[in-house]
Amino acid sequence: MDPTTKLLKKLAPDLMDGIVARAMVLERISVLQPVGRRALAQRMRLSEREARVITDALREAGLIDVTPAGMMLTNRAYELIDSVKELVRNKLGLESMEIQLQILLHVERVKIVPGNADESREVLSEVGRVAGMRLRKSVRDGSIVAVTGGTTVQQVAQNIPRGQNIAVTVIPARGGLGQAVETQANTLAEEIADKLGGTHRALYIPDSLTADALRELIKLKEISEPLEAVKRADVLLYGIARADDMAKNRLMNKADRDQMIKKGATAEALGFCFDAHGNYLSSASGLGIPIEAVETIPTVIGVAAGARKAEAILAVTRHHKHDLLVIDEGAATAIYDLIRKDR
């Protein structure tokens, strides 16, 4: 708990509940804006009367504007929002849970955002925002950043804050054309490079090529150069998925899917499948970062959201080291429960 919060609790313990309630509502408005009062009450499981009292107080304090489209933060509120979010995190006990998971998962840094992406799409956006801020702090001029595709990394790309240009090179961590264009690694590498002020390299390799075809592709300069650069990456950013979701998204045939399940596949990351214990099982046919190279990358950032991904996140963290793991409260709580049951 930060010193200011401790002081407030000592000076006015009877007022703390009201202060925290306003902070939590302001934090939700910042994520959902523009949002109507009824929709806000439903999302936060408040009565409409409770929502009205709190939002009226925030409006009178000059922290929100009420527009025909819904409630929005004012410039004054934006000056406070980082401190407000920290207060909410402390109230929910997320800072303590972060420390516990860092120890239990052997992860250098865990960041948890409030909520569960399985219940609210906006939580995934907040995971992307936090990861995007951390990514910008992790790179410098000359850095090579390798990224995967997927909806979670897409949220990171969309939420990286603009700032001073950094001369980074962003490349796909794995070739593949099986996803929708907007979530392909090539598309996201370009968007991330644009947000950071750097350049990007493309790596167009379909997921379903034969071994002979792949050997021929590697001979091409436009394929071999990005593949070599991936191995020298300074930062690796990737999303973590459930193995069954991966099979569905890649339209895997039933025989292969049944074989995958028989092996105990739980998680997919970077085109690799892992079982619940973190054992490597198999790889997609596309080319990209070798599994043994992951451990050599100085900064590895994993992102995921939703309680239903907890087992997959746990599996991947058991396989290789992570310098930063950004997840939501739903996933964090479910991971902690899984670890406790294993004991």
Side-chain angles (χ1 to χ4, degrees), residues 131-145:
M133 291 175 60
R134 294 283 167 174
L135 176 63
R136 174 171 278 279
K137 293 177 181 179
S138 300
V139 298
R140 62 185 186 278
D141 286 345
S143 292
I144 297 175
V145 182

Side-chain angles (χ1 to χ4, degrees), residues 21-143:
R22 291 187 190 185
M24 294 181 77
V25 168
L26 193 64
E27 187 273 337
R28 282 296 87 192
I29 293 174
S30 75
V31 174
L32 300 171
Q33 63 181 329
V35 60
R37 183 180 290 159
R38 178 174 297 179
L40 178 69
Q42 291 174 343
R43 290 295 184 94
M44 299 192 68
R45 296 174 183 170
L46 298 171
S47 69
E48 289 194 39
R49 180 183 177 280
E50 289 173 317
R52 182 174 65 253
V53 169
I54 295 172
T55 54
D56 282 350
L58 292 173
R59 180 176 54 77
E60 290 172 6
L63 297 176
I64 62 171
D65 285 328
V66 180
T67 72
M71 296 175 290
M72 300 179 68
L73 266 59
T74 63
N75 290 336
R76 182 179 181 184
Y78 277 113
E79 296 173 0
L80 305 174
I81 196 61
D82 287 342
S83 297
V84 166
K85 288 183 177 181
E86 193 60 31
L87 177 59
V88 171
R89 284 167 39 76
N90 289 336
K91 173 62 177 177
L92 295 174
L94 298 186
E95 186 174 11
S96 174
M97 185 176 287
E98 287 171 350
I99 295 170
Q100 292 181 63
L101 289 182
Q102 284 167 191
I103 296 169
L104 294 170
L105 300 178
H106 305 289
V107 172
E108 184 71 23
R109 186 72 186 270
V110 174
K111 293 297 293 182
I112 304 171
V113 305
N116 182 353
D118 293 341
E119 300 173 355
S120 174
R121 176 74 181 179
E122 289 78 16
V123 175
L124 182 60
S125 176
E126 183 67 4
V127 167
R129 187 190 71 83
V130 172
M133 291 175 60
R134 294 283 167 174
L135 176 63
R136 174 171 278 279
K137 293 177 181 179
S138 300
V139 298
R140 62 185 186 278
D141 286 345
S143 292

Side-chain angles (χ1 to χ4, degrees), residues 314-331:
L314 184 55
V316 175
T317 57
R318 284 171 170 168
H319 179 266
H320 57 264
K321 64 102 174 177
H322 289 75
D323 299 276
L324 173 64
L325 179 67
V326 184
I327 55 178
D328 64 0
E329 183 183 0

